Amino acid sequence: MYKHFYVSDIPNTDGEMIPPDAVDLLDPGTFGVIEITGLYRPTADDYITDLGGIDASVYGGMSVKSRTITLNLDAQTDMERMRLYRVLPYGKPRRFWIETNVGVFWIDGHVTGMPEGSDNNDLIANFDVTIKCPYPWFRSMELHEVEMDSGVATTVQQAGDIPSGFQVYAITQSASWGINGYTIKDSSGNAFAWVPGSSATVQRNPVGYVVKLVDTTPGITEWHIPPGHDMTEQQYLATLEISGLPAISSDAEQITVTVSGMGSYTVRIAYYDTYSGV
């Protein structure tokens, strides 16, 4: 059961709080949402290769390119209809927050259509709102963080059914702290290493600053910054989406982070539970 369906601008911080200016499309007496479709697990595309000369094929995997959510609603007044145009503009990415009996989940998307529905009359404007979500999975509102000892394998496990990307960052604890390289690897042998262009490139940061190490979370543009901390001006981010590293699954994953530098620091891994449907 869907209790609330909020829409807002995509916030500049992580998704642990619904913005106060978010609009609830399920608010009684306003937009009159009749039906919501596209929130369950979407259909995947199969990749199958034909075998030459025989009636058979080989399964090569599957993927889900995107998700389409459709709202059928009745705008109760002309004022609410015009307001709906402002709340769901074309060409502007929006964040949608869905509250169910299980929890609150969010997904980013943009409106691609708002044609008139079949039940239009002189009193009520009926619409079918189409929302395209390029990253098709839902993330939980709660961000998980695990503190890691550098060089020690740490087990991380998420509750969702879709492997989740993760962010790794270090928090400086001494004014003389600096970084000149790091390595992240998993128990399957996948690894990523970063070193600066020269051995003399060492970042020194004030106490309590956050230094990015790596980000494998597709579809998320904002970075989590713990309360009371600031991001360094010179940020160590190798690439926004790194391939070859594991995602965090519902099974136990071993991830090891090794940072070479000086001074004192804390390393943390952050991730969202990720679901194929809500």
Side-chain angles (χ1 to χ4, degrees):
M1 178 180 178
Y2 305 119
K3 296 181 177 180
H4 299 281
F5 194 102
Y6 295 98
V7 57
S8 73
D9 290 334
I10 296 179
N12 293 324
T13 58
D14 57 83
E16 290 190 271
M17 180 180 297
I18 298 175
D21 60 348
V23 176
D24 186 3
L25 299 179
L26 297 184
D27 186 14
T30 54
F31 302 121
V33 174
I34 299 172
E35 184 181 19
I36 305 174
T37 60
L39 299 182
Y40 291 169
R41 177 178 284 184
T43 301
D45 295 326
D46 277 336
Y47 295 110
I48 297 176
T49 302
D50 293 338
L51 295 178
I54 61 173
D55 294 331
S57 59
V58 176
Y59 172 72
M62 65 173 54
S63 69
V64 176
K65 303 295 186 184
S66 62
R67 175 187 297 270
T68 300
I69 300 173
T70 303
L71 308 177
N72 179 259
L73 51 85
D74 288 336
Q76 302 299 300
T77 65
D78 286 341
M79 183 177 295
E80 292 301 334
R81 174 174 57 84
M82 300 302 289
R83 182 186 176 210
L84 185 66
Y85 296 157
R86 297 193 301 271
V87 171
L88 298 173
Y90 281 169
K92 184 177 181 180
R94 307 288 274 167
R95 179 156 294 176
F96 299 90
W97 317 75
I98 299 96
E99 182 177 350
T100 72
N101 290 325
V102 177
V104 180
F105 310 88
W106 58 267
I107 192 170
D108 292 339
H110 56 276
V111 175
T112 60
M114 197 180 294
E116 294 183 8
S118 59
D119 296 328
N120 267 317
N121 56 53
D122 293 337
L123 300 177
I124 295 177
N126 182 256
F127 290 94
D128 290 320
V129 181
T130 304
I131 303 166
K132 192 81 167 184
C133 304
Y135 184 74
W137 312 127
F138 294 96
R139 294 183 169 101
S140 63
M141 194 165 67
E142 180 184 3
L143 179 75
H144 300 287
E145 290 185 277
V146 178
E147 191 164 311
M148 309 179 69
D149 293 326
S150 180
V152 178
T154 302
T155 300
V156 286
Q157 187 173 358
Q158 61 123 359
D161 60 290
I162 295 295
S164 168
F166 57 86
Q167 301 170 340
V168 180
Y169 62 91
I171 300 177
T172 62
Q173 294 179 336
S174 63
S176 61
W177 187 84
I179 179 174
N180 55 20
Y182 62 85
T183 300
I184 300 176
K185 63 180 179 180
D186 71 343
S187 53
S188 299
N190 300 311
F192 173 82
W194 178 88
V195 293
S198 68
S199 59
T201 304
V202 176
Q203 174 69 45
R204 299 181 185 276
N205 302 295
V207 177
Y209 269 58
V210 173
V211 181
K212 294 180 182 181
L213 298 185
V214 74
D215 187 352
T216 68
T217 52
I220 298 183
T221 58
E222 73 276 3
W223 246 81
H224 170 69
I225 302 176
H229 296 78
D230 293 311
M231 190 70 75
T232 57
E233 292 183 3
Q234 183 175 349
Q235 299 167 352
Y236 287 107
L237 182 59
T239 181
L240 284 177
E241 298 181 17
I242 294 177
S243 60
L245 274 177
I248 299 173
S249 68
S250 56
D251 298 323
E253 296 283 356
Q254 296 270 324
I255 295 179
T256 306
V257 180
T258 304
V259 179
S260 58
M262 62 191 72
S264 179
Y265 55 89
T266 299
V267 177
R268 293 181 183 175
I269 183 169
Y271 60 94
Y272 292 100
D273 295 331
T274 306
Y275 299 85
S276 61
V278 296

